[in-house]
Amino acid sequence: MEACYSSHYWGRFCRQAGHEVKLIPAQHVTPFVRGNKNDSNDALAIFEASSRPHIRFVPIKTEEQQEILMMHRIRERLIKQRIACTNQIRGLLVDFGIVFPQGFTAFKQAMWDIICDEQQRSTIKFLVNQIYDEYLMISTQLKSINALIKQLVEKSAIGQILMSLPGIGYIIASAFEAAIDKGQAFSSPKELAVWLGLTPRQYASGNKSTLGKISKRGDRYLRKQLIHGARTVVSHAHKKNDVLNQWITQLKERVGFNKATIATAHKLARIMWVLLKKQTPYQTQACLVEVA
């Protein structure tokens, strides 16, 4: 089947009925569609794609994996809603001469000051109170989802292995485990990095090969979280003397902070795949210091 909407459910359903199920990525099926799009042509394209020698099939996700991914999607939406809520009221209040800095702390203080101001117009106080209640409700939902994700990671052996790596917290570990499980869909860490879109685009013609920016393929949410974690590692790398942090420090001095962050995210993804294959936590490697 094509790995599209509801395919994991039907994959589990067909597997329980005794069938061998293989999910093909949708981008590999599209080139084989001939003529107009209909069920007959789609079925023929799926058959053609399945016979190709280098097609990588998508592992069928369990219900537990999809539950965790659902929590991450809802969490991402709530974060956007909370930011939109604070940005909107900040922009609207400027027309009334009320200006306050960005950030949730400044937002809460400004909302409280307006609500408690007896000289403020009643309509403004009513609307600000509504926005503040919405902000508190979203924050409460986010806290409950974060707590549930953290609880599930603490009970997971894979989650504990991933969290042993610098820059990997319970959010990244949870999303990584739910998205790729133990990495069985990839035969090497390079394939995982390519799937995440952390490798540079290549344009080659004849004897000339040019590498550009990262491809940004694959799971956008997982790639974003890895880059956030890598940014933290790069920011504190100069404080540590192990092999990984010294490599990051030297790389940052050579290519700059942003490129070093992407390269670190790439390296972290590769290390995570190796740790999952070996089922062992990350161990810091000390640098060998030459004694004169």
Side-chain angles (χ1 to χ4, degrees):
M1 295 187 293
E2 187 177 358
C4 57
Y5 181 71
S6 76
S7 60
H8 291 281
Y9 165 75
W10 289 111
R12 292 192 298 267
F13 181 84
C14 295
R15 180 178 286 177
Q16 290 176 357
H19 299 286
E20 181 183 356
V21 182
K22 293 183 179 180
L23 302 183
I24 307 174
Q27 65 267 25
H28 298 327
V29 176
T30 303
F32 295 97
V33 177
R34 299 178 183 177
N36 298 322
K37 177 175 172 52
N38 53 53
D39 291 343
S40 177
N41 290 339
D42 283 348
L44 180 60
I46 293 172
F47 172 76
E48 289 284 348
S50 65
S51 63
R52 298 298 95 186
H54 300 295
I55 292 293
R56 182 184 298 113
F57 298 103
V58 179
I60 298 176
K61 290 183 172 59
T62 63
E63 291 185 348
E64 290 76 13
Q65 287 178 285
Q66 291 193 297
E67 285 176 356
I68 296 174
L69 290 176
M70 183 171 66
M71 284 191 290
H72 280 277
R73 299 295 181 264
I74 295 175
R75 177 181 178 273
E76 186 76 356
R77 176 182 60 82
L78 291 174
I79 291 175
K80 292 179 179 179
Q81 286 182 338
R82 185 171 64 172
I83 295 175
C85 175
T86 58
N87 287 344
Q88 183 187 45
I89 195 63
R90 184 186 296 108
L92 294 174
L93 290 177
V94 169
D95 291 333
F96 298 93
I98 302 174
V99 181
F100 54 92
Q102 295 183 1
F104 295 132
T105 302
F107 168 79
K108 290 187 287 187
Q109 184 62 44
M111 296 298 99
W112 188 250
D113 292 341
I114 295 172
I115 293 173
C116 297
D117 188 2
E118 298 180 355
Q119 299 180 354
Q120 190 57 259
R121 297 175 63 86
S122 59
T123 303
I124 293 179
K125 293 178 66 174
F126 171 77
L127 294 175
V128 165
N129 198 5
Q130 293 289 317
I131 290 292
Y132 190 52
D133 288 342
E134 180 183 353
Y135 169 83
L136 293 177
M137 180 184 67
I138 295 174
S139 298
T140 302
Q141 292 176 333
L142 271 173
K143 288 180 180 179
S144 61
I145 291 179
N146 288 337
L148 181 56
I149 292 175
K150 185 176 181 180
Q151 181 181 1
L152 293 175
V153 171
E154 290 176 348
K155 295 180 179 179
S156 170
I158 295 178
Q160 295 302 310
I161 291 174
L162 295 176
M163 288 182 63
S164 65
L165 190 63
I168 305 301
Y170 63 90
I171 295 296
I172 300 178
S174 173
F176 203 88
E177 179 183 359
I180 72 165
D181 195 15
K182 297 180 181 180
Q184 63 270 23
F186 308 98
S187 59
S188 68
K190 179 182 178 181
E191 290 185 358
L192 172 61
V194 171
W195 177 78
L196 287 171
L198 291 171
T199 53
R201 289 179 176 269
Q202 182 185 26
Y203 180 82
S205 179
N207 295 326
K208 183 179 179 181
S209 180
T210 304
L211 296 179
K213 300 179 180 179
I214 59 175
S215 64
K216 295 186 179 180
R217 298 175 182 145
D219 194 326
R220 181 183 303 178
Y221 175 78
L222 188 56
R223 180 176 61 253
K224 180 186 71 173
Q225 297 298 336
L226 278 172
I227 292 175
H228 284 332
R231 187 176 290 113
T232 302
V233 176
V234 174
S235 299
H236 299 277
H238 64 280
K239 303 176 184 177
K240 302 177 183 179
N241 294 322
D242 58 280
V243 173
L244 176 62
N245 285 284
Q246 281 202 357
W247 174 82
I248 294 172
T249 302
Q250 295 172 3
L251 183 65
K252 182 172 64 174
E253 294 174 353
R254 189 170 68 251
V255 301
F257 184 87
N258 290 333
K259 290 184 179 180
T261 299
I262 300 299
T264 303
H266 184 174
K267 195 174 189 67
L268 290 177
R270 286 177 172 241
I271 296 175
M272 291 165 75
W273 184 89
V274 174
L275 296 179
L276 291 179
K277 282 297 180 182
K278 295 183 177 180
Q279 288 294 296
T280 56
Y282 176 76
Q283 296 180 358
T284 305
Q285 297 180 357
C287 291
L288 297 177
V289 181
E290 295 183 0
V291 181

